[in-house]
Amino acid sequence: MTTEKILAALDKPRKLYSILMVVNPSGSLEELQQKLLKMRDEGLVKFDIHKGRWYLPN
């Protein structure tokens, strides 16, 4: 599960499970969530707490 694959999967705002299905269907949600949280801290992605979706910042 690489950063590039995750960024490519965020062509539109998506929920955690749908990102996992695009990136790595046999992977774990916990691993993906930790990766997304790290990417959020770096400013690569954002999370909409009201809709529960991850997206790329403009």
Side-chain angles (χ1 to χ4, degrees):
M1 195 173 321
T2 65
T3 302
E4 293 82 21
K5 282 186 174 182
I6 295 172
L7 292 175
L10 291 173
D11 55 343
K12 61 181 181 180
R14 295 181 186 259
K15 293 192 175 195
L16 184 64
Y17 185 73
S18 66
I19 297 171
L20 182 67
M21 290 297 107
V22 171
V23 175
N24 185 6
S26 63
S28 73
L29 284 172
E30 293 82 18
E31 179 184 353
L32 176 60
Q33 187 171 16
Q34 291 301 318
K35 183 78 170 171
L36 283 167
L37 289 172
K38 182 180 177 200
M39 290 170 65
R40 184 192 66 183
D41 292 342
E42 295 170 354
L44 297 174
V45 296
K46 290 191 174 188
F47 181 72
D48 183 349
I49 194 163
H50 300 291
K51 295 181 181 177
R53 297 175 191 255
W54 292 92
Y55 62 97
L56 295 173
N58 291 335

